[in-house]
Amino acid sequence: MDSGYGITVLTLFPDLVREYFRTSIVGKAVDRGALVPRVVDIRDFARDRHRTCDDAPYGGGAGMVLMAEPLASALDSVDAKAQHVVFPTPSGLPFRQVDAARLSRKDGLVLVCGRYEGIDQRIVDEYVDDEYSIGDYVLSSGELAAMVIIDAVYRLRDGMLRSESIREESFQDGLLEYPHYTRPETFRSRSVPEVLLSGHHARIVRWRREQQLIRTARNRPDLLRHVQLDEAERKLTESIRDKESDDECNTGG
Ligand code: ADE
Protein backbone atom coordinates (compact mmCIF):
# COMPACT_ATOMS: atom_id res chain seq x y z
CA MET A 1 0.00 0.00 0.00
CA ASP A 2 1.65 3.22 -1.17
CA SER A 3 -0.21 6.19 0.32
CA GLY A 4 -1.91 6.27 3.72
CA TYR A 5 -5.60 5.66 4.27
CA GLY A 6 -7.24 8.95 5.29
CA ILE A 7 -9.78 8.80 8.10
CA THR A 8 -11.60 11.94 9.12
CA VAL A 9 -13.78 11.91 12.24
CA LEU A 10 -16.27 14.68 13.02
CA THR A 11 -16.98 14.65 16.72
CA LEU A 12 -17.99 16.63 19.81
CA PHE A 13 -15.34 14.67 21.77
CA PRO A 14 -12.12 15.19 19.83
CA ASP A 15 -9.86 14.20 22.75
CA LEU A 16 -11.44 10.75 22.96
CA VAL A 17 -10.90 10.09 19.26
CA ARG A 18 -7.36 11.57 19.17
CA GLU A 19 -6.39 9.29 22.04
CA TYR A 20 -7.59 6.27 20.07
CA PHE A 21 -5.39 7.21 17.10
CA ARG A 22 -2.39 7.54 19.45
CA THR A 23 -2.81 4.14 21.06
CA SER A 24 -1.60 0.63 20.42
CA ILE A 25 -1.61 -0.95 16.97
CA VAL A 26 -3.56 1.94 15.45
CA GLY A 27 -0.96 4.36 16.82
CA LYS A 28 1.77 2.40 15.08
CA ALA A 29 -0.13 2.49 11.77
CA VAL A 30 -0.40 6.28 12.17
CA ASP A 31 3.35 6.56 12.97
CA ARG A 32 4.16 4.56 9.83
CA GLY A 33 1.91 6.80 7.73
CA ALA A 34 -0.32 3.86 6.77
CA LEU A 35 -3.23 5.60 8.44
CA VAL A 36 -3.72 9.37 8.21
CA PRO A 37 -6.24 10.54 10.82
CA ARG A 38 -7.93 13.90 10.99
CA VAL A 39 -10.14 14.79 13.94
CA VAL A 40 -12.56 17.70 13.53
CA ASP A 41 -14.31 19.31 16.50
CA ILE A 42 -17.89 20.03 15.40
CA ARG A 43 -18.10 22.80 18.00
CA ASP A 44 -15.55 24.84 16.06
CA PHE A 45 -18.33 25.30 13.49
CA ALA A 46 -21.07 26.43 15.89
CA ARG A 47 -22.73 29.75 15.01
CA ASP A 48 -22.93 31.33 18.48
CA ARG A 49 -20.46 32.22 21.19
CA HIS A 50 -21.79 29.42 23.42
CA ARG A 51 -20.71 26.97 20.69
CA THR A 52 -24.20 25.45 20.63
CA CYS A 53 -24.49 22.37 18.39
CA ASP A 54 -27.78 20.82 19.49
CA ASP A 55 -31.41 21.83 19.78
CA ALA A 56 -34.83 20.40 20.72
CA PRO A 57 -36.51 18.20 18.10
CA TYR A 58 -39.32 19.61 15.97
CA GLY A 59 -42.55 17.85 16.86
CA GLY A 60 -41.49 17.45 20.49
CA GLY A 61 -39.99 14.48 22.28
CA ALA A 62 -37.13 13.79 24.62
CA GLY A 63 -33.49 14.60 23.99
CA MET A 64 -31.62 16.94 21.72
CA VAL A 65 -30.71 16.76 18.05
CA LEU A 66 -27.42 17.80 16.47
CA MET A 67 -28.11 20.86 14.35
CA ALA A 68 -27.67 20.82 10.59
CA GLU A 69 -25.68 24.04 10.22
CA PRO A 70 -22.56 23.31 12.31
CA LEU A 71 -22.47 19.77 10.94
CA ALA A 72 -22.76 20.94 7.33
CA SER A 73 -19.98 23.51 7.85
CA ALA A 74 -17.76 20.86 9.48
CA LEU A 75 -18.44 18.42 6.61
CA ASP A 76 -17.77 21.09 3.96
CA SER A 77 -14.50 22.01 5.68
CA VAL A 78 -13.18 18.50 4.93
CA ASP A 79 -14.74 18.32 1.43
CA ALA A 80 -16.95 15.44 2.59
CA LYS A 81 -19.03 15.38 -0.60
CA ALA A 82 -15.96 14.17 -2.49
CA GLN A 83 -15.45 11.33 0.01
CA HIS A 84 -17.23 8.29 1.42
CA VAL A 85 -19.22 9.34 4.49
CA VAL A 86 -20.29 6.88 7.21
CA PHE A 87 -22.73 7.68 10.00
CA PRO A 88 -22.71 5.21 12.92
CA THR A 89 -26.24 4.94 14.29
CA PRO A 90 -28.30 2.26 16.05
CA SER A 91 -30.83 2.70 13.21
CA GLY A 92 -28.33 1.71 10.53
CA LEU A 93 -27.66 -1.56 8.74
CA PRO A 94 -25.75 -4.12 10.82
CA PHE A 95 -22.00 -3.54 10.35
CA ARG A 96 -20.34 -6.80 9.24
CA GLN A 97 -16.94 -8.00 8.12
CA VAL A 98 -18.01 -7.72 4.44
CA ASP A 99 -18.79 -4.03 5.05
CA ALA A 100 -15.39 -3.52 6.65
CA ALA A 101 -13.80 -5.12 3.58
CA ARG A 102 -15.77 -2.90 1.20
CA LEU A 103 -14.88 0.26 3.13
CA SER A 104 -11.21 -0.75 3.24
CA ARG A 105 -11.17 -0.57 -0.57
CA LYS A 106 -12.19 3.13 -0.58
CA ASP A 107 -9.53 5.85 -0.73
CA GLY A 108 -10.51 6.90 2.78
CA LEU A 109 -13.49 7.63 5.01
CA VAL A 110 -15.30 10.42 6.80
CA LEU A 111 -17.16 9.39 9.96
CA VAL A 112 -19.81 11.61 11.54
CA CYS A 113 -20.38 10.99 15.23
CA GLY A 114 -23.85 11.82 16.50
CA ARG A 115 -24.84 12.57 20.07
CA TYR A 116 -28.06 12.86 21.99
CA GLU A 117 -31.07 11.60 20.04
CA GLY A 118 -29.38 11.81 16.66
CA ILE A 119 -28.50 14.30 13.96
CA ASP A 120 -30.72 16.43 11.72
CA GLN A 121 -31.98 14.08 8.98
CA ARG A 122 -31.17 16.62 6.25
CA ILE A 123 -27.47 16.02 6.94
CA VAL A 124 -27.96 12.29 6.50
CA ASP A 125 -29.88 12.87 3.26
CA GLU A 126 -27.31 15.25 1.81
CA TYR A 127 -23.95 13.84 2.92
CA VAL A 128 -24.13 10.29 4.26
CA ASP A 129 -23.36 7.25 2.09
CA ASP A 130 -23.68 4.48 4.72
CA GLU A 131 -25.47 4.26 8.06
CA TYR A 132 -24.20 1.40 10.22
CA SER A 133 -25.13 -0.05 13.58
CA ILE A 134 -22.46 -1.98 15.49
CA GLY A 135 -25.02 -3.94 17.53
CA ASP A 136 -28.46 -4.01 19.03
CA TYR A 137 -27.82 -1.65 21.93
CA VAL A 138 -27.73 2.13 22.22
CA LEU A 139 -24.50 3.92 23.07
CA SER A 140 -24.53 7.45 24.41
CA SER A 141 -22.70 8.77 21.36
CA GLY A 142 -21.28 7.66 18.04
CA GLU A 143 -17.57 7.86 18.88
CA LEU A 144 -17.16 4.32 20.22
CA ALA A 145 -19.08 2.93 17.24
CA ALA A 146 -16.92 5.02 14.87
CA MET A 147 -13.78 3.60 16.50
CA VAL A 148 -15.10 0.07 16.13
CA ILE A 149 -15.74 0.68 12.43
CA ILE A 150 -12.34 2.32 11.90
CA ASP A 151 -10.60 -0.53 13.69
CA ALA A 152 -12.30 -3.21 11.59
CA VAL A 153 -11.53 -1.29 8.37
CA TYR A 154 -7.95 -0.06 8.68
CA ARG A 155 -6.54 -3.45 9.64
CA LEU A 156 -7.81 -4.96 6.40
CA ARG A 157 -5.75 -2.61 4.28
CA ASP A 158 -3.07 -4.41 2.33
CA GLY A 159 0.12 -4.92 4.25
CA MET A 160 -1.38 -4.10 7.64
CA LEU A 161 -1.26 -7.68 8.87
CA ARG A 162 0.07 -10.91 7.49
CA SER A 163 -2.46 -11.92 4.85
CA GLU A 164 -2.55 -15.44 6.35
CA SER A 165 -3.98 -14.30 9.67
CA ILE A 166 -6.58 -12.14 7.92
CA ARG A 167 -7.59 -15.05 5.72
CA GLU A 168 -7.98 -17.45 8.62
CA GLU A 169 -9.76 -15.31 11.16
CA SER A 170 -13.41 -15.37 12.14
CA PHE A 171 -15.96 -14.28 9.55
CA GLN A 172 -13.61 -14.35 6.57
CA ASP A 173 -14.91 -17.86 5.81
CA GLY A 174 -18.28 -17.29 7.47
CA LEU A 175 -17.38 -19.28 10.61
CA LEU A 176 -16.13 -18.29 14.05
CA GLU A 177 -12.47 -18.91 14.78
CA TYR A 178 -11.00 -22.10 16.23
CA PRO A 179 -9.36 -22.00 19.71
CA HIS A 180 -5.70 -20.96 19.96
CA TYR A 181 -2.95 -22.17 22.29
CA THR A 182 0.65 -21.16 22.91
CA ARG A 183 3.37 -22.24 25.37
CA PRO A 184 3.42 -23.77 27.95
CA GLU A 185 2.10 -27.16 26.93
CA THR A 186 0.37 -27.58 30.30
CA PHE A 187 -1.12 -24.69 32.26
CA ARG A 188 -2.77 -25.38 35.64
CA SER A 189 -3.18 -29.01 34.61
CA ARG A 190 -4.92 -28.06 31.37
CA SER A 191 -3.06 -29.47 28.38
CA VAL A 192 -2.94 -28.29 24.82
CA PRO A 193 -5.02 -30.65 22.61
CA GLU A 194 -2.75 -33.47 21.51
CA VAL A 195 -3.52 -33.00 17.83
CA LEU A 196 -1.83 -29.56 17.83
CA LEU A 197 1.42 -31.14 19.05
CA SER A 198 1.27 -33.96 16.51
CA GLY A 199 2.88 -32.05 13.66
CA HIS A 200 0.32 -33.73 11.42
CA HIS A 201 -0.84 -30.85 9.25
CA ALA A 202 -3.91 -32.52 7.70
CA ARG A 203 -5.20 -33.64 11.12
CA ILE A 204 -4.68 -30.16 12.52
CA VAL A 205 -6.60 -28.57 9.65
CA ARG A 206 -9.46 -31.08 10.18
CA TRP A 207 -9.54 -30.46 13.95
CA ARG A 208 -9.58 -26.71 13.49
CA ARG A 209 -12.44 -26.85 11.00
CA GLU A 210 -14.40 -29.07 13.39
CA GLN A 211 -13.79 -26.63 16.25
CA GLN A 212 -14.98 -23.76 14.07
CA LEU A 213 -18.17 -25.65 13.27
CA ILE A 214 -18.80 -26.51 16.93
CA ARG A 215 -18.30 -22.92 18.07
CA THR A 216 -20.41 -21.49 15.29
CA ALA A 217 -23.23 -23.98 15.87
CA ARG A 218 -23.23 -23.11 19.59
CA ASN A 219 -22.75 -19.35 19.50
CA ARG A 220 -23.93 -18.18 16.08
CA PRO A 221 -26.08 -20.83 14.39
CA ASP A 222 -27.49 -18.09 12.13
CA LEU A 223 -24.11 -17.90 10.34
CA LEU A 224 -24.31 -21.53 9.23
CA ARG A 225 -27.02 -20.72 6.69
CA HIS A 226 -24.40 -19.08 4.47
CA VAL A 227 -21.69 -21.76 4.76
CA GLN A 228 -21.23 -24.78 2.50
CA LEU A 229 -21.09 -27.92 4.65
CA ASP A 230 -20.46 -31.49 3.61
CA GLU A 231 -22.69 -34.29 4.93
CA ALA A 232 -20.60 -35.03 8.03
CA GLU A 233 -20.33 -31.33 8.90
CA ARG A 234 -24.06 -30.84 8.52
CA LYS A 235 -24.70 -33.76 10.91
CA LEU A 236 -22.21 -32.40 13.43
CA THR A 237 -23.71 -28.90 13.48
CA GLU A 238 -27.27 -30.24 13.62
CA SER A 239 -26.46 -32.45 16.59
CA ILE A 240 -25.00 -29.45 18.43
CA ARG A 241 -27.99 -27.31 17.59
CA ASP A 242 -30.38 -30.03 18.79
CA LYS A 243 -28.44 -30.37 22.02
CA GLU A 244 -28.42 -26.58 22.57
CA SER A 245 -32.19 -26.35 22.10
CA ASP A 246 -32.71 -29.31 24.47
CA ASP A 247 -30.55 -27.54 27.06
CA GLU A 248 -32.57 -24.35 26.62
CA CYS A 249 -35.85 -26.24 27.16
CA ASN A 250 -34.44 -27.94 30.27
CA THR A 251 -33.16 -24.73 31.84
CA GLY A 252 -36.16 -22.70 30.74
CA GLY A 253 -33.72 -20.41 28.87
N1 ADE B 1 -24.59 5.15 18.25
C1 ADE B 1 -25.21 4.81 19.39
N2 ADE B 1 -25.41 3.49 19.45
C2 ADE B 1 -24.90 2.95 18.32
C3 ADE B 1 -24.81 1.64 17.78
N3 ADE B 1 -25.30 0.58 18.42
N4 ADE B 1 -24.22 1.49 16.59
C4 ADE B 1 -23.74 2.53 15.92
N5 ADE B 1 -23.79 3.79 16.36
C5 ADE B 1 -24.38 4.02 17.54
Side-chain angles (χ1 to χ4, degrees), residues 129-180:
D129 296 296
D130 291 317
E131 295 175 72
Y132 281 123
S133 166
I134 63 157
D136 291 340
Y137 39 79
V138 180
L139 304 167
S140 54
S141 70
E143 281 75 11
L144 289 175
M147 289 188 258
V148 166
I149 292 170
I150 294 165
D151 215 281
V153 170
Y154 93 85
R155 62 189 294 285
L156 290 178
R157 294 288 287 191
D158 294 351
M160 293 298 293
L161 285 180
R162 282 180 16 253
S163 55
E164 193 71 2
S165 65
I166 292 265
R167 214 179 310 127
E168 281 186 8
E169 69 191 0
S170 288
F171 299 116
Q172 289 301 110
D173 59 6
L175 295 171
L176 303 185
E177 229 178 320
Y178 51 77
H180 300 278

Side-chain angles (χ1 to χ4, degrees), residues 7-24:
I7 295 194
T8 303
V9 183
L10 274 60
T11 171
L12 291 172
F13 301 100
D15 292 345
L16 175 61
V17 181
R18 283 194 195 108
E19 197 52 46
Y20 164 73
F21 282 120
R22 269 198 284 268
T23 307
S24 180

